[in-house]
Amino acid sequence: MSETGYTYEQAGVSIAAGNALVRAIAPLARATRRPGADADLGGFGGFFDLKAAGFVDPLLVAANDGVGTKLKLAIEHDRHDGVGVDLVAMCVNDLIVQGAEPLFFLDYYASGKLDASVAERVIASIAEGCRTAGCALIGGETAEMPGMYADGDYDLAGFCVGAVERDRVLTGASIAPGDVVLGLASSGVHSNGFSLVRRLAADRGWKLNRPALYDPEVLLIDALMAPTRIYVKSLLPLVTAGQIKGLAHITGGGLLENIPRVLLADTHAVIDADAWPQPRLMAFLQAQGAIEPGEMARTFNCGIGMAVVVAADAADTITTDLTEAGETVFRIGAIEAGTRGCTVAGSVETWSARAPWRAVHTA
């Protein structure tokens, strides 16, 4: 027993360091203010005023997610300045596909011993993601738990709440054969598939801090760590106007398994892999792992981060609107009658195939 009495700091937890971090990040949170939230930190909870945000008959929609093993690369290579954007993106992109406008965000940051300089970089990145998505960072939790995490490790979780007017919820009910599937370009691997990426890096002995083999202008680690693209602001006006029938955020499971999540029975999405160029990073990953095209379609986003289902006669106008909003848009497929699911197909040489190929998933 200690003769002078135990303290929390002797056990490995510094309350002073935590308080200093809250003071440091308060301006970052205030920069995410929006109608309905003042974004001040320090209370026991955060308030949001739906009426001030302009909603009349809203439904609330909640989403939570993490960054996955992409965090290990961030920790190992000191790339903490984008993972907060990833965290926000994984949540807010899941809200917009249901028609919901992201309103407020809370984060959970846990480590064995708080490194305030790293934590501030991560939370600054979260605030950046919130500003991009138009939602307020209204609170969070910074947990210091000695013995729970290896030295230098940390974990992240994000929680976001959005709202949608009752008559604007995207259910997929109006999707029908003949509709068009548009694809919005991804910014890279996003935050899925990194267990495979890290396995390839280890097995193939990649030098991540050297230029990528396919692009001497970019370090491979920077290409892999590119933050997940946030699609909210470009899609929200079209969703609010009722011009979009369905949206699928392409995360774990790839194109093959995510698109059917927005389809009802008797509709099948047919995706043409020839319709857009395979990003060089994706081609590199495929070649390094000798990954079959069908496995690519269910593992990575393959260059498409969001699938957008629209009426055929509106496809050109919506493509123009999304392009003007800053998106790179491809017409990647169509909806057909059939068993609920998705087919991704390509011709010989597409995604390095030695013969024409097709991958099918039914839900």
Side-chain angles (χ1 to χ4, degrees):
M1 179 176 169
S2 171
E3 293 182 3
T4 58
Y6 288 103
T7 67
Y8 210 6
E9 190 156 4
Q10 286 173 344
V13 178
S14 173
I15 294 175
N19 291 339
L21 177 63
V22 170
R23 289 193 297 270
I25 65 177
L28 302 174
R30 282 195 293 272
T32 68
R33 290 174 185 264
R34 54 149 296 150
D38 60 17
D40 282 335
L41 300 182
F44 288 97
F47 286 93
F48 192 92
D49 184 344
L50 281 168
K51 184 177 290 187
F55 287 90
V56 177
D57 185 23
L59 295 174
L60 293 179
V61 187
N64 73 297
D65 214 328
V67 180
T69 57
K70 189 175 185 177
L71 274 184
K72 288 296 290 183
L73 288 181
I75 292 164
E76 291 165 359
H77 297 273
D78 192 32
R79 293 300 196 279
H80 308 287
D81 301 295
V83 292
V85 175
D86 285 307
L87 186 68
V88 174
M90 297 306 288
C91 294
V92 299
N93 286 342
D94 278 354
L95 291 182
I96 190 65
V97 300
Q98 296 169 93
E101 175 186 352
L103 301 177
F104 58 88
F105 191 90
L106 300 100
D107 68 276
Y108 176 78
Y109 179 100
S111 62
K113 181 175 177 56
L114 180 62
D115 183 332
S117 63
V118 170
E120 189 171 347
R121 289 166 64 189
V122 171
I123 296 169
S125 177
I126 293 171
E128 177 188 349
C130 287
R131 288 194 300 272
T132 301
C135 65
L137 177 59
I138 66 169
E141 167 71 0
T142 303
E144 194 172 15
M145 298 186 289
M148 284 289 291
Y149 296 90
D151 189 35
D153 279 356
Y154 63 88
D155 198 11
L156 280 178
F159 309 86
C160 194
V161 173
V164 55
E165 296 291 0
R166 194 177 301 270
D167 62 353
R168 283 291 179 256
V169 178
L170 289 180
T171 65
S174 65
I175 295 175
D179 288 341
V180 168
V181 183
L182 304 177
L184 306 188
S186 65
S187 54
V189 186
H190 286 185
S191 285
N192 290 99
F194 272 89
S195 293
L196 178 54
V197 169
R198 292 175 56 246
R199 175 69 180 271
L200 287 173
D203 290 353
R204 298 291 184 263
W206 294 350
K207 305 299 183 185
L208 295 178
N209 287 312
R210 294 182 182 177
L213 293 176
Y214 60 88
D215 186 351
E217 300 298 316
V218 178
L219 297 181
L220 182 54
I221 185 62
D222 290 336
L224 293 172
M225 294 301 296
T228 304
R229 185 164 181 80
I230 293 173
Y231 299 98
V232 171
K233 286 190 176 179
S234 57
L235 288 170
L236 190 58
L238 297 171
V239 170
T240 302
Q243 294 180 270
I244 289 176
K245 292 190 170 192
L247 293 168
H249 183 201
I250 309 306
T251 55
L255 293 158
L256 207 55
E257 296 188 11
N258 280 290
I259 294 177
R261 295 170 65 181
V262 303
L263 303 178
L264 299 186
D266 303 323
T267 51
H268 193 94
V270 178
I271 305 300
D272 178 10
D274 293 327
W276 73 96
Q278 184 184 37
R280 289 182 294 172
L281 174 57
M282 295 294 167
F284 169 77
L285 294 173
Q286 184 179 10
Q288 290 284 300
I291 304 170
E292 293 297 325
E295 185 66 17
M296 288 293 292
R298 65 166 44 87
T299 303
F300 296 112
N301 64 57
C302 299
I304 301 296
M306 184 72 73
V308 185
V309 183
V310 300
D313 59 4
D316 289 343
T317 298
I318 290 173
T319 296
T320 299
D321 290 342
L322 288 169
T323 301
E324 290 177 351
E327 302 295 345
T328 300
V329 188
F330 304 100
R331 191 166 179 149
I332 64 172
I335 303 298
E336 298 182 357
T339 303
R340 178 174 175 243
C342 180
T343 296
V344 181
S347 58
V348 63
E349 297 187 357
T350 299
W351 296 5
S352 303
R354 294 179 292 277
W357 59 275
R358 61 194 289 112
V360 182
H361 174 77
T362 54

